[in-house]
Amino acid sequence: MTMLTMHVQPEAPLEAGSITPDVLRGKSAFEIAQLPAMHGNQRVSLGDFFQIDEQGTEEVVLRGDLSRVKNVGSGMTSGRLTVQGNIGMHLGAGMRGGEIHVFGNAGDWAGAEMAGGRIHIRGDAGHCLGGAYRGSRHGMNRGVILVEGSAGNEVGACMRRGLIAVQKDVGDFAGAFMIAGSIVVFGKLGVRAGAGLLRGTIVTFEKPELLPTYRYACRYQPSFLGLIFQHLSEHGIQVPKYASTGCFHRYSGDFNRIGKGEILVYDQC
């Protein structure tokens, strides 16, 4: 295990994209301390802010208040990264494999444009979870993001594949311009969910305020949701016992586009 404990709080955002299992693998504590980072517009080393203990295993553990530390785990392809505390923006952005576990809150753009792997956030997530960067056409493209708290606006915006599950509430524009994939929200959906939805599924357990470009289709029991709920339960998400036996109202949309997406709203059978 390689443990990085923050001992100096950055006064400006600290961009630490070198903190990934891929980069740290095989390096000594001294070598890790020399890895570059950006503190505001100043070039620094990780050792300027972190105490580093290297014990020879592949897991990377970060400790402390890391809410100003950005890009941790971005682009990682394998291994396990654990954050014991809050973490800043762009966590796991563009990651293609491995696991990230956060025992705290995560900032904006967590899992943005990721293409594989799993992110599990025990607290809240910020805006644009699994989303696309401004000017990009594609957000998350495979992988799983689990949030045990709430999430902000634009969850899964332009999402192409994969699964996002949020145990509490999400903000506005969830699944906006979504191309495919699944978003499961056990709390409330904000307004304009599924705006511009092309394909894909948004699931909610509380009655949402839907856009007028959605049409009611039917009331049924989707068999595929049972597999999703089982997967979520196996990874620590508290799925209500009634979820697998309940019915869902299906709303098709967005008919501003081709209308092949769906929003499923829970209803007792």
Side-chain angles (χ1 to χ4, degrees), residues 30-251:
F30 176 79
E31 290 172 322
I32 294 171
Q34 306 306 309
L35 290 174
M38 290 296 295
H39 182 223
N41 61 358
Q42 300 294 317
R43 186 178 177 88
V44 296
S45 300
L46 292 183
D48 296 332
F49 295 90
F50 292 96
Q51 175 185 327
I52 300 161
D53 298 303
E54 198 277 319
Q55 300 177 13
T57 61
E58 291 197 359
E59 182 179 5
V60 176
V61 178
L62 304 180
R63 298 176 61 186
D65 181 6
L66 304 154
S67 54
R68 288 187 176 181
V69 182
K70 300 164 60 176
N71 300 317
V72 169
S74 59
M76 65 182 280
T77 63
S78 62
R80 179 185 172 103
L81 192 155
T82 301
V83 181
Q84 297 177 353
N86 298 332
I87 188 69
M89 299 169 66
H90 309 290
L91 172 76
M95 69 182 290
R96 302 191 300 278
E99 300 179 11
I100 297 177
H101 296 266
V102 180
F103 293 87
N105 301 325
D108 300 342
W109 302 105
E113 301 187 5
M114 67 185 288
R118 185 168 80 247
I119 299 175
H120 192 158
I121 300 168
R122 270 69 177 185
D124 297 330
H127 301 304
C128 304
L129 178 75
Y133 288 116
R134 302 306 184 211
S136 176
R137 297 178 60 188
H138 304 307
M140 179 179 176
N141 181 19
R142 295 185 299 273
V144 177
I145 301 178
L146 310 176
V147 179
E148 295 188 19
S150 300
N153 299 333
E154 299 185 39
V155 169
C158 298
M159 183 176 177
R160 192 175 181 87
R161 292 184 186 87
L163 170 65
I164 298 176
V166 180
Q167 197 155 326
K168 296 183 180 178
D169 303 338
V170 301
D172 301 340
F173 290 100
F177 301 101
M178 187 173 168
I179 300 167
S182 300
I183 299 174
V184 180
V185 179
F186 293 99
K188 295 180 180 179
L189 277 177
V191 298
R192 299 178 180 85
L197 181 69
L198 187 64
R199 293 181 180 85
T201 301
I202 300 174
V203 181
T204 180
F205 282 74
E206 297 193 25
K207 187 175 181 179
E209 179 183 338
L210 295 179
L211 289 166
T213 49
Y214 278 80
R215 299 176 188 168
Y216 184 74
C218 63
R219 180 174 179 267
Y220 77 125
Q221 285 183 296
S223 58
F224 73 93
L225 285 184
L227 298 175
I228 290 179
F229 295 151
Q230 180 180 349
H231 178 79
L232 296 179
S233 296
E234 290 172 353
H235 289 91
I237 297 296
Q238 296 179 8
V239 177
K241 293 182 179 179
Y242 54 78
S244 297
T245 58
C247 295
F248 288 82
H249 293 288
R250 184 182 191 271
Y251 294 86

Side-chain angles (χ1 to χ4, degrees), residues 5-21:
T5 304
M6 177 160 281
H7 66 86
V8 175
Q9 280 294 322
E11 297 179 359
L14 179 66
E15 297 187 24
S18 56
I19 302 180
T20 71

